[in-house]
Amino acid sequence: MVSFLYPIKKLLKKGLGSRRPAGDGGKPPAPLSRSLDDTLRTVKNALGGSADLVIRRFAIMMNRRPHPAAIVYIDGLADPKELLESLLADSGDMQEILQSAEDVEPVQLIRQYLLKIGQINGVSDLSTLYHAILSGDTCILLNGASEAIAAGTGAAKDRNISEPASQAVLRGPREGFAETLRTNTALVRRKIKNPNLWMETRRIGEVTKTDVAIMYIKGIANDKTVNEVRMRLDRIRIDSILESGYIEELIQDETYTPFPTIFNTERPDAVAGGLLEGRIAILVDGTPFVLVVPALFTHFLQTPEDYYQRADISSLLRILRYVCLFIALFGPAAYIAVTTFHQEMIPTPLLLSVIAAREGIPFPAFVEALLMEITFEILREAGVRMPRTVGQAVSIVGALVIGQSAVEAGLVGPAMVIVVSITAISNFVIPSYNMGISIRMIRFPFMILAASFGLYGILVGAIVMVLHLCSLRSFGVPYMAPFAPFIVEDQKDNIFRFPRWAMLTRPRYSSDGNLVREKDRPPRKPAP
């Protein structure tokens, strides 16, 4: 089967890699014309004469003669009020400087003496000009100049910083990422005020030109992993990037796996914690979800709140999550296997109770579980998609009514309703939504194996799943580390969280030689 799928996977990758995206076809960008009228005409034609395109013509007195100029911006994306005040100011000292500067280019005079805005960039080609205008910048064009000026005057409305809806905590920061890239990078820099926090930005998407940023701490992050992230991002050839999920699917190590190999979060403290461990953050403009790589299996069962509580409380909660993981994965399958093939494992009083409850049920245990699981999945998806005010009520009331009605109608037994309900609740304990969906998907194959071969089928399926997990990589790092390979030093922050004073080193799989997180403290003196 593997040998049959391999050429198909190779053919798919080859076909996807050779397909050219929509865009300019790789042609070099066209330079700006020295004629102001020609440039403005080209911009109008390129944007289709859009109604929100604003062109304001004026003249600037420089070198004792007027210079025709114009500003171009998109109404609603840019706010050029401050820029216009700078350009059209009637200051005697400023005019004297402009009149006496005879050997300086007009563009340089404007950049050095007129503009009071901090973010100013030069534009020398049409492609850069279009991107600047459509990004909210205001572009200044001068007649006779081969270079324009892009001033940062973005005025797009941004959502207020609020608590993340998908990753709420009882103790910890209540702020979450927004949809603006600069807001998100600022939230991370507020957490880590260190000059070694480096950021690189690139544009991905031939049509959307989406800004994507890479953040890492120089000296802590592994240079090989950083280069791998750069290479995978630069290798993307696609017409649009609308959400970080596009990037996640294009740069992940393994496509044919139900388990997520890239961690996503909308909490700045979770990203800061990952950066301090040597991991790399990928931020995409237009979405509050930030990608963090490399991502291991244990990361999807941890929350930022684990580091804000005491070590014993955090360890207990982590153990509870692992227990719920096994219940969500093997609960219905174990019930099917025991009631169908291994009744001798059930105590006699409990077995008699189960038999009495199942009396008159027309379906086998597997069909019961399948019906109830599909029903709960429908209710869960309906609760997510419905309006927030009625979504939870519909899902809870629907589960109670349907479960009770199914038992009274004799379609399923009450024991099966209890097992499926506990399984569904245990699935909600898993902090990561991606990992929760993976567990829900794998639960059905285990139910089929249990109905076919009993506990032996579950055991074989578990072995295959563990072998698959051990074969996965996340940017070159083993997915099951520090379990496989087993790293003794990294067990201090795995299933158990050791006290803060015992976590002196960073994880060995991600940091680049800088393992020391905290220097040894002097011995504590007993209180008098």
Side-chain angles (χ1 to χ4, degrees), residues 251-291:
I251 68 174
Q252 62 186 354
D253 288 66
E254 185 62 42
T255 303
Y256 302 97
T257 178
F259 296 98
T261 56
I262 295 179
F263 186 77
N264 68 81
T265 179
E266 53 179 335
R267 295 190 60 88
D269 54 338
V271 174
L275 293 174
L276 292 171
E277 289 184 351
R279 298 156 72 189
I280 303 158
I282 303 174
L283 300 90
V284 181
D285 189 23
T287 176
F289 288 92
V290 176
L291 307 179

mmCIF file of all heavy atoms in Angstrom, residues 251-291:
data_model
loop_
_atom_site.group_PDB
_atom_site.id
_atom_site.type_symbol
_atom_site.label_atom_id
_atom_site.label_comp_id
_atom_site.label_asym_id
_atom_site.label_seq_id
_atom_site.Cartn_x
_atom_site.Cartn_y
_atom_site.Cartn_z
ATOM 1 N N ILE A 251 3.675 24.463 4.773
ATOM 2 C CA ILE A 251 5.028 24.270 5.309
ATOM 3 C C ILE A 251 5.130 23.115 6.278
ATOM 4 O O ILE A 251 6.220 22.846 6.790
ATOM 5 C CB ILE A 251 5.522 25.555 6.008
ATOM 6 C CG1 ILE A 251 4.717 25.837 7.279
ATOM 7 C CG2 ILE A 251 5.487 26.745 5.069
ATOM 8 C CD1 ILE A 251 5.239 26.997 8.093
ATOM 9 N N GLN A 252 4.031 22.403 6.556
ATOM 10 C CA GLN A 252 4.108 21.312 7.516
ATOM 11 C C GLN A 252 4.935 20.159 6.951
ATOM 12 O O GLN A 252 5.026 19.963 5.740
ATOM 13 C CB GLN A 252 2.713 20.841 7.886
ATOM 14 C CG GLN A 252 1.904 20.293 6.734
ATOM 15 C CD GLN A 252 0.482 19.966 7.139
ATOM 16 O OE1 GLN A 252 0.126 20.053 8.307
ATOM 17 N NE2 GLN A 252 -0.338 19.576 6.181
ATOM 18 N N ASP A 253 5.531 19.376 7.863
ATOM 19 C CA ASP A 253 6.411 18.294 7.446
ATOM 20 C C ASP A 253 5.653 17.169 6.759
ATOM 21 O O ASP A 253 6.093 16.655 5.737
ATOM 22 C CB ASP A 253 7.150 17.734 8.670
ATOM 23 C CG ASP A 253 8.203 18.695 9.177
ATOM 24 O OD1 ASP A 253 7.843 19.781 9.663
ATOM 25 O OD2 ASP A 253 9.385 18.370 9.086
ATOM 26 N N GLU A 254 4.547 16.760 7.330
ATOM 27 C CA GLU A 254 3.819 15.588 6.834
ATOM 28 C C GLU A 254 2.370 15.970 6.581
ATOM 29 O O GLU A 254 1.696 16.506 7.454
ATOM 30 C CB GLU A 254 3.885 14.455 7.857
ATOM 31 C CG GLU A 254 3.270 13.152 7.391
ATOM 32 C CD GLU A 254 3.948 12.556 6.178
ATOM 33 O OE1 GLU A 254 5.196 12.569 6.128
ATOM 34 O OE2 GLU A 254 3.236 12.078 5.278
ATOM 35 N N THR A 255 1.899 15.689 5.375
ATOM 36 C CA THR A 255 0.516 16.011 5.006
ATOM 37 C C THR A 255 -0.438 14.888 5.378
ATOM 38 O O THR A 255 -1.547 15.135 5.847
ATOM 39 C CB THR A 255 0.419 16.303 3.505
ATOM 40 O OG1 THR A 255 1.307 17.369 3.180
ATOM 41 C CG2 THR A 255 -0.997 16.685 3.110
ATOM 42 N N TYR A 256 0.001 13.656 5.186
ATOM 43 C CA TYR A 256 -0.888 12.510 5.366
ATOM 44 C C TYR A 256 -0.820 12.012 6.804
ATOM 45 O O TYR A 256 -0.331 10.924 7.090
ATOM 46 C CB TYR A 256 -0.511 11.411 4.377
ATOM 47 C CG TYR A 256 -0.570 11.889 2.943
ATOM 48 C CD1 TYR A 256 0.570 12.313 2.283
ATOM 49 C CD2 TYR A 256 -1.784 11.947 2.269
ATOM 50 C CE1 TYR A 256 0.514 12.773 0.983
ATOM 51 C CE2 TYR A 256 -1.856 12.415 0.966
ATOM 52 C CZ TYR A 256 -0.704 12.817 0.327
ATOM 53 O OH TYR A 256 -0.768 13.277 -0.956
ATOM 54 N N THR A 257 -1.283 12.828 7.708
ATOM 55 C CA THR A 257 -1.371 12.462 9.116
ATOM 56 C C THR A 257 -2.520 13.230 9.755
ATOM 57 O O THR A 257 -2.753 14.403 9.407
ATOM 58 C CB THR A 257 -0.054 12.771 9.860
ATOM 59 O OG1 THR A 257 -0.210 12.446 11.250
ATOM 60 C CG2 THR A 257 0.327 14.227 9.731
ATOM 61 N N PRO A 258 -3.263 12.609 10.659
ATOM 62 C CA PRO A 258 -4.343 13.350 11.331
ATOM 63 C C PRO A 258 -3.847 14.255 12.447
ATOM 64 O O PRO A 258 -4.618 15.080 12.953
ATOM 65 C CB PRO A 258 -5.232 12.235 11.889
ATOM 66 C CG PRO A 258 -4.305 11.086 12.097
ATOM 67 C CD PRO A 258 -3.274 11.178 11.014
ATOM 68 N N PHE A 259 -2.583 14.126 12.849
ATOM 69 C CA PHE A 259 -2.073 14.879 13.983
ATOM 70 C C PHE A 259 -1.461 16.197 13.519
ATOM 71 O O PHE A 259 -0.736 16.239 12.518
ATOM 72 C CB PHE A 259 -1.009 14.069 14.740
ATOM 73 C CG PHE A 259 -1.552 12.821 15.370
ATOM 74 C CD1 PHE A 259 -1.421 11.594 14.732
ATOM 75 C CD2 PHE A 259 -2.193 12.857 16.588
ATOM 76 C CE1 PHE A 259 -1.915 10.438 15.296
ATOM 77 C CE2 PHE A 259 -2.698 11.712 17.172
ATOM 78 C CZ PHE A 259 -2.557 10.495 16.518
ATOM 79 N N PRO A 260 -1.737 17.292 14.223
ATOM 80 C CA PRO A 260 -1.131 18.585 13.850
ATOM 81 C C PRO A 260 0.341 18.622 14.219
ATOM 82 O O PRO A 260 0.739 18.201 15.304
ATOM 83 C CB PRO A 260 -1.941 19.596 14.676
ATOM 84 C CG PRO A 260 -2.424 18.821 15.862
ATOM 85 C CD PRO A 260 -2.635 17.409 15.399
ATOM 86 N N THR A 261 1.161 19.119 13.309
ATOM 87 C CA THR A 261 2.603 19.238 13.545
ATOM 88 C C THR A 261 3.047 20.691 13.667
ATOM 89 O O THR A 261 4.246 20.960 13.756
ATOM 90 C CB THR A 261 3.391 18.553 12.422
ATOM 91 O OG1 THR A 261 2.996 19.105 11.161
ATOM 92 C CG2 THR A 261 3.115 17.056 12.408
ATOM 93 N N ILE A 262 2.093 21.635 13.632
ATOM 94 C CA ILE A 262 2.388 23.058 13.833
ATOM 95 C C ILE A 262 1.391 23.588 14.847
ATOM 96 O O ILE A 262 0.183 23.403 14.704
ATOM 97 C CB ILE A 262 2.297 23.842 12.512
ATOM 98 C CG1 ILE A 262 3.380 23.363 11.537
ATOM 99 C CG2 ILE A 262 2.450 25.338 12.765
ATOM 100 C CD1 ILE A 262 3.350 24.062 10.200
ATOM 101 N N PHE A 263 1.903 24.241 15.869
ATOM 102 C CA PHE A 263 1.062 24.751 16.950
ATOM 103 C C PHE A 263 0.564 26.142 16.590
ATOM 104 O O PHE A 263 1.310 26.970 16.046
ATOM 105 C CB PHE A 263 1.867 24.795 18.248
ATOM 106 C CG PHE A 263 1.063 25.178 19.453
ATOM 107 C CD1 PHE A 263 0.216 24.267 20.054
ATOM 108 C CD2 PHE A 263 1.152 26.452 19.994
ATOM 109 C CE1 PHE A 263 -0.531 24.614 21.170
ATOM 110 C CE2 PHE A 263 0.417 26.806 21.107
ATOM 111 C CZ PHE A 263 -0.428 25.879 21.694
ATOM 112 N N ASN A 264 -0.710 26.418 16.870
ATOM 113 C CA ASN A 264 -1.253 27.761 16.645
ATOM 114 C C ASN A 264 -1.914 28.251 17.924
ATOM 115 O O ASN A 264 -2.495 27.473 18.684
ATOM 116 C CB ASN A 264 -2.249 27.760 15.478
ATOM 117 C CG ASN A 264 -3.518 26.991 15.785
ATOM 118 O OD1 ASN A 264 -4.433 27.498 16.441
ATOM 119 N ND2 ASN A 264 -3.591 25.748 15.309
ATOM 120 N N THR A 265 -1.807 29.542 18.148
ATOM 121 C CA THR A 265 -2.352 30.152 19.356
ATOM 122 C C THR A 265 -2.690 31.604 19.067
ATOM 123 O O THR A 265 -2.138 32.217 18.141
ATOM 124 C CB THR A 265 -1.352 30.066 20.515
ATOM 125 O OG1 THR A 265 -1.913 30.691 21.679
ATOM 126 C CG2 THR A 265 -0.056 30.769 20.178
ATOM 127 N N GLU A 266 -3.597 32.156 19.858
ATOM 128 C CA GLU A 266 -3.894 33.583 19.784
ATOM 129 C C GLU A 266 -3.555 34.287 21.093
ATOM 130 O O GLU A 266 -4.077 35.357 21.378
ATOM 131 C CB GLU A 266 -5.356 33.820 19.411
ATOM 132 C CG GLU A 266 -6.379 33.106 20.264
ATOM 133 C CD GLU A 266 -7.805 33.427 19.842
ATOM 134 O OE1 GLU A 266 -8.009 34.514 19.257
ATOM 135 O OE2 GLU A 266 -8.697 32.619 20.101
ATOM 136 N N ARG A 267 -2.648 33.693 21.878
ATOM 137 C CA ARG A 267 -2.228 34.275 23.146
ATOM 138 C C ARG A 267 -0.785 34.755 23.027
ATOM 139 O O ARG A 267 0.124 33.966 22.705
ATOM 140 C CB ARG A 267 -2.331 33.256 24.277
ATOM 141 C CG ARG A 267 -3.750 32.796 24.585
ATOM 142 C CD ARG A 267 -3.762 31.986 25.862
ATOM 143 N NE ARG A 267 -3.289 32.769 26.986
ATOM 144 C CZ ARG A 267 -4.056 33.546 27.753
ATOM 145 N NH1 ARG A 267 -5.344 33.633 27.498
ATOM 146 N NH2 ARG A 267 -3.548 34.219 28.745
ATOM 147 N N PRO A 268 -0.494 36.047 23.272
ATOM 148 C CA PRO A 268 0.887 36.533 23.216
ATOM 149 C C PRO A 268 1.796 35.871 24.248
ATOM 150 O O PRO A 268 2.989 35.673 23.975
ATOM 151 C CB PRO A 268 0.750 38.041 23.482
ATOM 152 C CG PRO A 268 -0.664 38.368 23.152
ATOM 153 C CD PRO A 268 -1.455 37.148 23.489
ATOM 154 N N ASP A 269 1.275 35.517 25.444
ATOM 155 C CA ASP A 269 2.132 34.897 26.446
ATOM 156 C C ASP A 269 2.552 33.492 26.020
ATOM 157 O O ASP A 269 3.669 33.059 26.332
ATOM 158 C CB ASP A 269 1.434 34.853 27.800
ATOM 159 C CG ASP A 269 0.067 34.184 27.720
ATOM 160 O OD1 ASP A 269 -0.501 34.136 26.617
ATOM 161 O OD2 ASP A 269 -0.433 33.720 28.763
ATOM 162 N N ALA A 270 1.685 32.769 25.285
ATOM 163 C CA ALA A 270 2.076 31.452 24.784
ATOM 164 C C ALA A 270 3.174 31.574 23.732
ATOM 165 O O ALA A 270 4.109 30.767 23.699
ATOM 166 C CB ALA A 270 0.860 30.733 24.207
ATOM 167 N N VAL A 271 3.084 32.585 22.864
ATOM 168 C CA VAL A 271 4.127 32.803 21.866
ATOM 169 C C VAL A 271 5.436 33.211 22.532
ATOM 170 O O VAL A 271 6.512 32.726 22.171
ATOM 171 C CB VAL A 271 3.667 33.865 20.847
ATOM 172 C CG1 VAL A 271 4.794 34.218 19.892
ATOM 173 C CG2 VAL A 271 2.461 33.363 20.072
ATOM 174 N N ALA A 272 5.357 34.102 23.524
ATOM 175 C CA ALA A 272 6.575 34.523 24.233
ATOM 176 C C ALA A 272 7.230 33.345 24.935
ATOM 177 O O ALA A 272 8.467 33.210 24.925
ATOM 178 C CB ALA A 272 6.235 35.629 25.226
ATOM 179 N N GLY A 273 6.427 32.472 25.556
ATOM 180 C CA GLY A 273 6.996 31.295 26.199
ATOM 181 C C GLY A 273 7.672 30.372 25.209
ATOM 182 O O GLY A 273 8.746 29.809 25.488
ATOM 183 N N GLY A 274 7.074 30.212 24.022
ATOM 184 C CA GLY A 274 7.708 29.390 22.998
ATOM 185 C C GLY A 274 9.008 29.999 22.491
ATOM 186 O O GLY A 274 9.992 29.282 22.260
ATOM 187 N N LEU A 275 9.029 31.317 22.305
ATOM 188 C CA LEU A 275 10.263 31.970 21.864
ATOM 189 C C LEU A 275 11.379 31.804 22.885
ATOM 190 O O LEU A 275 12.542 31.593 22.513
ATOM 191 C CB LEU A 275 9.996 33.457 21.613
ATOM 192 C CG LEU A 275 9.070 33.795 20.444
ATOM 193 C CD1 LEU A 275 8.780 35.296 20.422
ATOM 194 C CD2 LEU A 275 9.681 33.363 19.122
ATOM 195 N N LEU A 276 11.054 31.890 24.155
ATOM 196 C CA LEU A 276 12.071 31.744 25.195
ATOM 197 C C LEU A 276 12.584 30.306 25.305
ATOM 198 O O LEU A 276 13.629 30.073 25.905
ATOM 199 C CB LEU A 276 11.496 32.194 26.541
ATOM 200 C CG LEU A 276 11.206 33.689 26.653
ATOM 201 C CD1 LEU A 276 10.441 33.988 27.930
ATOM 202 C CD2 LEU A 276 12.505 34.491 26.624
ATOM 203 N N GLU A 277 11.854 29.352 24.747
ATOM 204 C CA GLU A 277 12.320 27.969 24.700
ATOM 205 C C GLU A 277 13.104 27.661 23.433
ATOM 206 O O GLU A 277 13.560 26.533 23.244
ATOM 207 C CB GLU A 277 11.134 27.015 24.799
ATOM 208 C CG GLU A 277 10.494 26.974 26.185
ATOM 209 C CD GLU A 277 9.383 25.942 26.263
ATOM 210 O OE1 GLU A 277 9.005 25.403 25.196
ATOM 211 O OE2 GLU A 277 8.904 25.678 27.379
ATOM 212 N N GLY A 278 13.257 28.640 22.554
ATOM 213 C CA GLY A 278 14.011 28.436 21.329
ATOM 214 C C GLY A 278 13.158 28.136 20.119
ATOM 215 O O GLY A 278 13.698 27.800 19.063
ATOM 216 N N ARG A 279 11.854 28.275 20.231
ATOM 217 C CA ARG A 279 10.985 28.024 19.090
ATOM 218 C C ARG A 279 10.803 29.302 18.258
ATOM 219 O O ARG A 279 11.243 30.388 18.654
ATOM 220 C CB ARG A 279 9.643 27.479 19.567
ATOM 221 C CG ARG A 279 9.788 26.137 20.289
ATOM 222 C CD ARG A 279 8.656 25.858 21.247
ATOM 223 N NE ARG A 279 7.428 25.549 20.544
ATOM 224 C CZ ARG A 279 6.250 25.435 21.150
ATOM 225 N NH1 ARG A 279 6.144 25.631 22.457
ATOM 226 N NH2 ARG A 279 5.174 25.139 20.454
ATOM 227 N N ILE A 280 10.140 29.173 17.122
ATOM 228 C CA ILE A 280 10.017 30.258 16.155
ATOM 229 C C ILE A 280 8.538 30.544 15.922
ATOM 230 O O ILE A 280 7.737 29.615 15.774
ATOM 231 C CB ILE A 280 10.708 29.885 14.821
ATOM 232 C CG1 ILE A 280 12.180 29.552 15.084
ATOM 233 C CG2 ILE A 280 10.605 31.012 13.811
ATOM 234 C CD1 ILE A 280 12.802 28.710 14.023
ATOM 235 N N ALA A 281 8.184 31.822 15.889
ATOM 236 C CA ALA A 281 6.802 32.246 15.678
ATOM 237 C C ALA A 281 6.644 32.782 14.264
ATOM 238 O O ALA A 281 7.514 33.485 13.749
ATOM 239 C CB ALA A 281 6.399 33.315 16.693
ATOM 240 N N ILE A 282 5.530 32.433 13.630
ATOM 241 C CA ILE A 282 5.198 32.899 12.282
ATOM 242 C C ILE A 282 3.877 33.662 12.385
ATOM 243 O O ILE A 282 2.834 33.085 12.708
ATOM 244 C CB ILE A 282 5.073 31.732 11.292
ATOM 245 C CG1 ILE A 282 6.371 30.917 11.267
ATOM 246 C CG2 ILE A 282 4.735 32.240 9.899
ATOM 247 C CD1 ILE A 282 6.279 29.657 10.430
ATOM 248 N N LEU A 283 3.917 34.962 12.127
ATOM 249 C CA LEU A 283 2.751 35.825 12.241
ATOM 250 C C LEU A 283 2.282 36.219 10.851
ATOM 251 O O LEU A 283 3.097 36.602 9.995
ATOM 252 C CB LEU A 283 3.055 37.071 13.066
ATOM 253 C CG LEU A 283 3.508 36.860 14.515
ATOM 254 C CD1 LEU A 283 5.018 36.729 14.607
ATOM 255 C CD2 LEU A 283 3.051 38.007 15.401
ATOM 256 N N VAL A 284 0.990 36.147 10.605
ATOM 257 C CA VAL A 284 0.400 36.448 9.306
ATOM 258 C C VAL A 284 -0.563 37.618 9.472
ATOM 259 O O VAL A 284 -1.391 37.626 10.391
ATOM 260 C CB VAL A 284 -0.334 35.222 8.737
ATOM 261 C CG1 VAL A 284 -0.931 35.529 7.375
ATOM 262 C CG2 VAL A 284 0.611 34.025 8.642
ATOM 263 N N ASP A 285 -0.426 38.600 8.612
ATOM 264 C CA ASP A 285 -1.312 39.759 8.668
ATOM 265 C C ASP A 285 -2.732 39.343 8.299
ATOM 266 O O ASP A 285 -2.955 38.636 7.313
ATOM 267 C CB ASP A 285 -0.813 40.828 7.696
ATOM 268 C CG ASP A 285 -1.549 42.141 7.860
ATOM 269 O OD1 ASP A 285 -2.097 42.378 8.958
ATOM 270 O OD2 ASP A 285 -1.600 42.933 6.894
ATOM 271 N N GLY A 286 -3.701 39.783 9.112
ATOM 272 C CA GLY A 286 -5.090 39.487 8.826
ATOM 273 C C GLY A 286 -5.692 38.385 9.667
ATOM 274 O O GLY A 286 -6.866 38.050 9.481
ATOM 275 N N THR A 287 -4.946 37.814 10.607
ATOM 276 C CA THR A 287 -5.474 36.747 11.448
ATOM 277 C C THR A 287 -4.877 36.861 12.846
ATOM 278 O O THR A 287 -3.716 37.255 13.000
ATOM 279 C CB THR A 287 -5.155 35.360 10.860
ATOM 280 O OG1 THR A 287 -5.597 34.347 11.758
ATOM 281 C CG2 THR A 287 -3.665 35.201 10.637
ATOM 282 N N PRO A 288 -5.638 36.531 13.895
ATOM 283 C CA PRO A 288 -5.092 36.564 15.255
ATOM 284 C C PRO A 288 -4.382 35.281 15.649
ATOM 285 O O PRO A 288 -3.859 35.206 16.764
ATOM 286 C CB PRO A 288 -6.344 36.785 16.111
ATOM 287 C CG PRO A 288 -7.442 36.128 15.342
ATOM 288 C CD PRO A 288 -7.097 36.311 13.890
ATOM 289 N N PHE A 289 -4.340 34.278 14.780
ATOM 290 C CA PHE A 289 -3.721 33.004 15.123
ATOM 291 C C PHE A 289 -2.287 32.986 14.622
ATOM 292 O O PHE A 289 -2.027 33.143 13.424
ATOM 293 C CB PHE A 289 -4.520 31.843 14.525
ATOM 294 C CG PHE A 289 -5.837 31.609 15.217
ATOM 295 C CD1 PHE A 289 -6.992 32.228 14.764
ATOM 296 C CD2 PHE A 289 -5.913 30.790 16.328
ATOM 297 C CE1 PHE A 289 -8.202 32.026 15.403
ATOM 298 C CE2 PHE A 289 -7.128 30.588 16.980
ATOM 299 C CZ PHE A 289 -8.269 31.204 16.514
ATOM 300 N N VAL A 290 -1.363 32.781 15.556
ATOM 301 C CA VAL A 290 0.074 32.775 15.270
ATOM 302 C C VAL A 290 0.570 31.337 15.307
ATOM 303 O O VAL A 290 0.192 30.559 16.186
ATOM 304 C CB VAL A 290 0.832 33.644 16.293
ATOM 305 C CG1 VAL A 290 2.333 33.566 16.071
ATOM 306 C CG2 VAL A 290 0.356 35.091 16.197
ATOM 307 N N LEU A 291 1.431 30.980 14.354
ATOM 308 C CA LEU A 291 2.005 29.646 14.283
ATOM 309 C C LEU A 291 3.305 29.610 15.066
ATOM 310 O O LEU A 291 4.085 30.571 15.036
ATOM 311 C CB LEU A 291 2.255 29.241 12.828
ATOM 312 C CG LEU A 291 1.068 29.350 11.863
ATOM 313 C CD1 LEU A 291 1.490 28.941 10.460
ATOM 314 C CD2 LEU A 291 -0.092 28.517 12.349
#
